[in-house]
């Protein structure tokens, strides 16, 4: 055997590199609240009207239940591969590998788009509107931004955390200023739109019901996605058995409060007509509203979206790179991906690999069309719902011998995660049905007789299956692992 594996084993991820607050900030930054709200608020309002806050509230439920699964699985297995490792231990290597692939591919699909948003909104904030709409200018800058954010990830987890602390502060303060001003101006009648009078009834997600609710929930799941980045850093966090899981749960709650506040402010100030009419300009909705709400200070909101997307560009690389590291060191991926930089103690090869593939995907898909880029983001719902639901099932399966030890165990590590998984599986099935319609896609065209988002999503899974089978033939060591049960009883009251 060569000396390379032994040499690589000397370098490990740096334990205790970040605190609870750092993990919480990274979890929030990964969801990119300002970017996510900008992307979904118009379409959600078009679907359910003033009940958009209710849909965001309903979307929170499966996220909280799955966050509970992440918490309890992390208590017994602090592996940066999260879903990959847990599902492998609970249900075997085939499903575990597929879950890991789904996580890695979400980073590939969304990283370029996030950087694209960061660049365009930064240019808009600087009143460089012509440059913001010039793809020949934007695309090269996007590539540079992705490379810069990747370099920060490699330079060290502490540096990444400090950078994120600054960006999340700017983002949240900007959103709060926007929401507060919008509510005050709406209350005083100082709005050019058909304002709405806020009501607690807006929190009812079932008011519209049917297909509108389902479609809205799919968008809501996308808005919350990303909080688990805190758990991907479990091996680098203080008190790794509990801190990352707690950060994940708290981040979902913080997101809920933020989303509800901004959704109420936007719907109250602008009404439903303006938001629905401009849903096709989803990512520019805050740019359109910012000038109306903040006047000459609209750059504050534009800066919020830009920093949100920039922060998420960096943090989205983390789950994919850590998953790649975890898979490689268990022989489920090429060994080289398990390399850890001896000085910075980060997975440098895996991180740069994710960035390179993400850049290639962004440039390629943009050459197809700008709408194809949005279609690739829509395909994210398939991957997200898949690996989240897989994690919830894995929690109940892995802890199956401990579910009846207490009522809290049954609810928190059994029923809760399974209910969350069932909701996400339903949304996954519904998503496949909806995405099958070419007219429902951003492109409005047919790929092989199907909607482009469905082709992209299914295509990614098929490529993964082919790669998995090929790697299984090449190196079967990982597939010798056998599922088991959680090694230690869970005291959920203390957890």
């Amino acid at each position: 055997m060569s000396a390379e594996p032994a040499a690589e084993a000397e370098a490990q991820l740096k334990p205790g590199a970040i605190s609870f607050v750092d993990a919480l900030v990274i979890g929030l930054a990964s969801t990119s609240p300002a970017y996510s709200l900008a992307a979904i608020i118009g379409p959600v309002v078009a679907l359910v009207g003033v009940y958009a806050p209710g849909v965001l509230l309903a979307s929170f439920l499966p996220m909280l239940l799955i966050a509970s699964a992440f918490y309890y699985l992390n208590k017994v297995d602090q592996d940066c591969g999260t879903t990959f490792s847990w599902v492998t231990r609970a249900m075997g290597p085939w499903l575990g590998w597929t879950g890991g692939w789904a996580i890695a591919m979400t980073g590939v699909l969304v990283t370029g788009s996030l950087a694209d948003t960061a660049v365009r909104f930064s240019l808009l904030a600087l009143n460089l509107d012509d440059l913001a709409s010039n793809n020949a200018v934007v695309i090269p800058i996007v590539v540079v931004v992705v490379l810069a954010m990747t370099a920060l990830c490699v330079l060290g987890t502490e540096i990444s955390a400090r950078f994120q602390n600054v960006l999340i502060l700017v983002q949240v303060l900007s959103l709060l200023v926007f929401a507060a001003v919008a509510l005050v101006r709406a209350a005083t009648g100082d709005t050019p739109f058909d304002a709405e009078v806020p009501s607690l009834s807006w929190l009812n997600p079932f008011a519209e019901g049917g297909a509108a609710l389902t479609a809205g929930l799919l968008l809501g799941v996308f808005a919350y996605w990303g909080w688990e980045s805190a758990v991907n850093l479990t091996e680098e966090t203080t008190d790794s058995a509990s801190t990352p899981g707690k950060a994940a749960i708290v981040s979902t709650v913080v997101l809920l409060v933020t989303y509800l506040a901004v959704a109420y402010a936007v719907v109250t100030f602008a009404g439903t007509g303006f938001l629905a009419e401009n849903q096709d300009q989803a990512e520019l909705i805050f740019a359109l509203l910012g000038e109306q709400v903040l006047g000459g200070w609209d750059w504050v909101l534009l800066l919020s979206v830009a920093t949100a997307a920039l922060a998420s560009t960096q943090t989205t690389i983390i789950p994919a790179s850590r998953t790649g590291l975890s898979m490689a060191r268990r022989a489920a991926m090429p060994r080289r991906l398990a390399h850890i930089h001896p000085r910075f103690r980060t997975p440098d090869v895996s991180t740069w690999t994710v960035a390179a593939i993400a850049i290639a995907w962004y440039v390629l898909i943009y050459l197809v069309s700008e709408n194809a880029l949005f279609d690739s983001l829509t395909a994210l719902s398939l991957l997200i719902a898949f690996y989240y639901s897989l994690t919830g099932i894995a929690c109940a399966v892995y802890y199956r011998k401990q579910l009846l030890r207490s009522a809290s165990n049954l609810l928190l590590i059994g029923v809760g995660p399974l209910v969350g998984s069932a909701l996400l599986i339903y949304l996954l099935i519904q998503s496949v049905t909806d995405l099958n319609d070419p007219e429902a896609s951003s492109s409005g065209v047919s790929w092989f007789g199907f909607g482009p988002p469905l082709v992209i999503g299914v295509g990614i899974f098929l490529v993964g299956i082919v790669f998995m089978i090929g790697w299984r033939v090449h190196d079967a060591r990982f597939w010798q692992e056998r599922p088991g049960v959680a090694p230690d009883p869970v005291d959920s009251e203390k957890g």
Side-chain angles (χ1 to χ4, degrees), residues 45-106:
V45 169
L47 288 166
V48 299
V50 295
Y51 302 105
V55 167
L56 291 172
L57 177 62
S59 302
F60 166 74
L61 177 59
M63 292 298 99
L64 181 64
L65 296 176
I66 298 302
S68 176
F70 270 77
Y71 173 78
Y72 284 105
L73 286 167
N74 184 70
K75 284 177 70 69
V76 292
D77 183 13
Q78 294 90 53
D79 190 298
C80 65
T82 59
T83 294
F84 158 72
S85 181
W86 302 332
V87 174
T88 298
R89 295 185 185 280
M91 297 185 288
W94 293 98
L95 283 174
W97 197 100
T98 308
W101 175 261
I103 294 176
M105 288 302 101
T106 56

Side-chain angles (χ1 to χ4, degrees), residues 214-215 218 381-386 389 421-437 454:
T214 301
L218 283 170
S381 62
L382 300 174
L383 303 179
I384 297 168
F386 174 75
S389 60
S421 294
L423 291 172
L424 289 170
I425 290 172
Y426 169 74
L427 291 176
L428 175 61
I429 295 172
Q430 187 62 46
S431 180
V432 170
T433 302
D434 293 341
L435 296 181
N436 189 39
D437 181 8
L454 183 61

Side-chain angles (χ1 to χ4, degrees), residues 32 35 111-125 138 141-142 145 149 283 302-313:
S32 189
Y35 168 82
T111 297
S113 176
L114 289 166
D116 185 274
T117 300
V119 170
R120 292 182 192 275
F121 270 80
S122 295
L123 292 173
L124 289 172
V138 170
I141 299 176
V142 168
V145 168
M149 294 300 99
E283 294 185 3
L302 297 175
L303 180 64
S304 174
V305 178
T307 55
L310 183 64
S312 195
T313 300

Side-chain angles (χ1 to χ4, degrees), residues 337-385:
L337 294 175
H339 183 268
I340 295 176
H341 196 285
R343 177 183 175 187
F344 304 125
R345 299 174 74 177
T346 55
D348 55 343
V349 174
S350 178
T351 303
W352 284 114
T353 300
V354 169
I357 299 173
I359 289 172
W361 174 263
Y362 167 76
V363 174
L364 174 64
I365 207 71
Y366 227 123
L367 291 177
V368 174
S369 77
E370 185 175 349
N371 286 331
L373 179 65
F374 294 130
D375 286 334
S376 73
L377 293 180
T378 304
L380 274 176
S381 62
L382 300 174
L383 303 179
I384 297 168

